[in-house]
Amino acid sequence: MVGLILSFSFVFANSDNIVLTALTYMERPYQFGANDLYRMDCSAFVQRVFEVNGIRLPRSTAEQSRVGVQVGLEDLKPGDLLFFTTYRPGPSHVGIYIGNGRFVHASEKNGITINRIDEPYWSRRFLFARRMEQPNIIYTKSERQAKPLTKNFNEDEIADLIFILSNR
């Protein structure tokens, strides 16, 4: 099993794996400010999904909204980050685009769930989208400060994700 985990941890930074990883967290509960495996807020969810896939993002939605490359709605690809204004002005909610006008995110009411961008609630609050293009990079407050990822992933968490994905 260790060989599988190690090979998986070096190969995965692509949009399909980001989407699959995000979907393994479905229905886990939301908690504002939480950042653990079974309870998290929107930015912790996004940070965790990308970190498992070799891309380390900042912790907060505001910081995440300043990294990567901005893309238009017409150019969205699975794995792009979508930013919304919700409880305060500016980027205050983030989700991961999964294709076909849908995104996965940590919802206060429904936990990790899927919604459509064109739903009235979300379309009125949409701000912009960003794409993280380089695997094995730590994105910090500006793209110029990106540096190679050196963190060792939690092998138990990766093993859990592999088990979940292989049983779908």
Side-chain angles (χ1 to χ4, degrees):
M1 181 64 124
V2 173
L4 177 62
I5 291 170
L6 292 176
S7 64
F8 181 77
S9 70
F10 291 112
V11 182
F12 39 43
N14 68 50
S15 61
D16 290 341
N17 288 334
I18 288 170
V19 169
L20 286 172
T21 303
L23 295 176
T24 65
Y25 290 94
M26 289 295 294
E27 300 177 1
R28 293 194 187 182
Y30 173 93
Q31 183 177 342
F32 185 79
N35 186 14
D36 64 57
L37 187 56
Y38 296 101
R39 195 172 290 279
M40 59 194 82
D41 64 17
C42 66
S43 58
F45 165 65
V46 166
Q47 183 185 46
R48 182 173 297 274
V49 167
F50 275 79
E51 186 166 325
V52 166
N53 283 278
I55 299 171
R56 190 175 310 161
L57 297 177
R59 171 63 177 91
S60 75
T61 300
E63 290 172 332
Q64 290 173 3
S65 75
R66 294 189 290 267
V67 298
V69 178
Q70 191 159 331
V71 293
L73 271 177
E74 65 282 354
D75 296 320
L76 285 178
K77 293 181 182 176
D80 288 346
L81 298 185
L82 305 176
F83 293 92
F84 303 87
T85 183
T86 54
Y87 67 93
R88 62 182 160 95
S92 55
H93 188 72
V94 60
I96 302 170
Y97 184 68
I98 61 172
N100 297 320
R102 298 180 189 280
F103 68 104
V104 61
H105 63 114
S107 161
E108 189 173 339
K109 293 179 182 174
N110 301 313
I112 309 297
T113 191
I114 296 172
N115 285 98
R116 293 191 55 80
I117 300 169
D118 60 3
E119 291 174 23
Y121 179 86
W122 295 110
S123 65
R124 285 192 310 268
R125 290 165 174 78
F126 178 77
L127 295 173
F128 54 86
R130 295 190 76 80
R131 182 171 298 146
M132 306 305 135
E133 296 187 308
Q134 294 182 305
N136 301 317
I137 290 292
I138 299 171
Y139 284 94
T140 56
K141 291 185 181 179
S142 80
E143 293 155 280
R144 291 172 293 177
Q145 296 172 347
K147 52 190 175 194
L149 178 63
T150 57
K151 180 184 184 288
N152 292 324
F153 296 103
N154 176 338
E155 290 183 6
D156 291 336
E157 183 173 347
I158 293 173
D160 287 347
L161 292 173
I162 291 169
F163 177 78
I164 291 166
L165 290 171
S166 66
N167 287 302
R168 286 191 180 245

